[in-house]
């Protein structure tokens, strides 16, 4: 058996290689009848082109709505993409446009997830449009882009809360103007609050907090089981800004929590009513670990811009600045 223009080879005693798709084959068969007379037959056939293709689609996040200026855009792929050239095809097709325009970049978190953020926080009261041009685009022989749903986000006021774990005080800014100072307590030795920038993930009026959920043995000296109100979540592992009436005597002077930022009930209610999902909560001067960039909430802003760009398949390793195709979009129109 041979394939036109490319005959396969096989060692004696081994199976021939598998048939190729979309190829023409000639089969030559030698025969012998009962009397030993030789015979020969020639057969030809074609294999077809494979029709099964995998479709790559994208789910953008978060849900449409209004968010704080620290909210990254996420893109979740339904299939993994590992090859850098293929990643570049995907990334080039994912568009993020904002009014006002800002410089930004995608960062591959893993084979199936990308995050997009600007160099600095989003502008206040911006409109962000996210779109995929992947539909019908060939990524590999078996992987083609499919249709995906667009996303529209807006941002509200720029709200940034900065907690100084050393001075036990939180300062809250709206559009870069200070609007409140709040005495707080953060994580005590062994449970220090994470340093760095976090993003509000959600708000819960009531949470039952138990030490067992963070690895503290029930009945130990650090064990707790408390009703907590006005809880603003900043990590998936259970770090909140919340009301802590039991520690009011330490707020402003001592760190006594198990990692959360505690404040009086009235201050926690004010904070709960002031911040929204996507707003920025930053901790400085703690002896705790640094906030993880990914996997425990949105720690994206803890990567410097150069390191952030290094996670892009398009601009990683290139001089700082927008992609060439984005330059005209970012350039202001002449009057």
């Amino acid at each position: 058996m041979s394939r036109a223009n490319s005959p396969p080879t096989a060692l004696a005693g081994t199976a021939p290689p598998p048939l190729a798709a979309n190829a023409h084959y000639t089969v030559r068969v030698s025969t012998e009848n009962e009397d030993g007379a030789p015979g020969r037959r020639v057969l030809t056939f074609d294999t077809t082109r494979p029709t099964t293709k995998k479709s790559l689609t994208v789910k953008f996040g978060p849900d449409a709505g209004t968010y704080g200026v620290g909210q990254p855009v996420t893109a979740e792929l339904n299939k993994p993409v590992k090859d850098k050239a293929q990643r570049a095809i995907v990334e080039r097709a994912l568009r993020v446009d904002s009014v006002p325009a800002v410089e930004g970049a995608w960062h591959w978190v893993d084979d199936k997830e990308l995050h997009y953020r600007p160099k600095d926080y989003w502008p206040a009261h911006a409109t962000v449009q996210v779109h995929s041009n992947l539909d019908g685009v060939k990524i590999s022989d078996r992987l083609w882009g499919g249709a995906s749903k667009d996303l529209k986000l807006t941002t509200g006021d720029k709200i940034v809360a900065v907690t100084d774990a050393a001075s036990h005080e939180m300062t809250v800014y709206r559009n870069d103007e200070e609007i409140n100072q709040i005495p707080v307590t953060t994580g005590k030795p062994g449970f220090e609050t994470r340093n760095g920038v976090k993003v509000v993930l959600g708000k819960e009026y009531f949470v039952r907090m138990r030490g067992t959920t963070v690895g503290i043995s029930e009945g130990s000296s650090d064990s707790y089981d408390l009703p907590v109100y006005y809880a603003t979540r900043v990590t998936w592992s259970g770090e909140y800004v919340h009301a802590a009436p039991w520690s009011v005597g330490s707020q402003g002077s001592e760190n006594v929590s198990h990692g959360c930022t505690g404040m009086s009930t009235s201050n926690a209610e004010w904070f709960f009513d002031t911040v929204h999902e996507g707003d920025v909560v930053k901790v400085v001067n703690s002896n705790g670990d640094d906030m993880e960039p990914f996997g425990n909430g949105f720690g994206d802003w803890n990567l410097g811009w150069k390191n952030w760009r290094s996670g892009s398949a398009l601009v990683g390793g290139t001089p700082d600045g927008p992609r060439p195709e984005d330059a005209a979009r970012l350039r202001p129109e002449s009057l």
Side-chain angles (χ1 to χ4, degrees), residues 185-300:
T185 184
T186 62
K188 62 184 179 180
F191 298 91
E192 290 90 347
T193 305
R194 293 172 183 81
N195 272 303
V197 179
K198 302 147 195 174
V199 172
V200 172
L201 301 174
K203 301 190 294 183
E204 301 164 63
Y205 170 69
F206 172 78
V207 179
R208 191 87 192 182
M209 292 190 179
R210 298 176 175 87
T212 53
T213 63
V214 292
I216 299 174
S217 300
E218 188 173 355
S220 69
S221 59
D222 284 309
S223 177
Y224 59 89
D225 185 347
L226 295 168
V228 175
Y229 294 88
Y230 301 112
T232 300
R233 182 187 282 271
V234 293
T235 74
W236 295 124
S237 62
E239 185 180 324
Y240 289 82
V241 178
H242 63 76
W246 53 85
S247 66
V248 167
S250 298
Q251 292 165 18
S253 60
E254 187 180 8
N255 291 324
V256 298
S257 84
H258 288 87
C260 291
T261 299
M263 56 185 65
S264 70
T265 299
S266 60
N267 282 331
E269 181 179 7
W270 177 89
F271 186 80
F272 188 91
D273 292 340
T274 300
V275 303
H276 301 87
E277 192 171 340
D279 284 338
V280 176
V281 177
K282 183 177 182 180
V283 175
V284 298
N285 296 325
S286 170
N287 292 323
D289 295 333
D290 292 333
M291 174 65 180
E292 307 93 322
F294 309 108
N296 195 19
F298 293 120
D300 305 49

Side-chain angles (χ1 to χ4, degrees), residues 10-11 18 48 56 58 72 111 139 141 143 159 161 170 178-179 182-183 208 232 334:
L11 297 175
T48 60
L56 184 73
V58 185
D111 295 340
I139 301 162
D141 288 341
L143 188 63
I159 301 292
M170 172 190 281
E178 182 181 320
I179 58 173
I182 302 172
R208 191 87 192 182
T232 300
S334 57

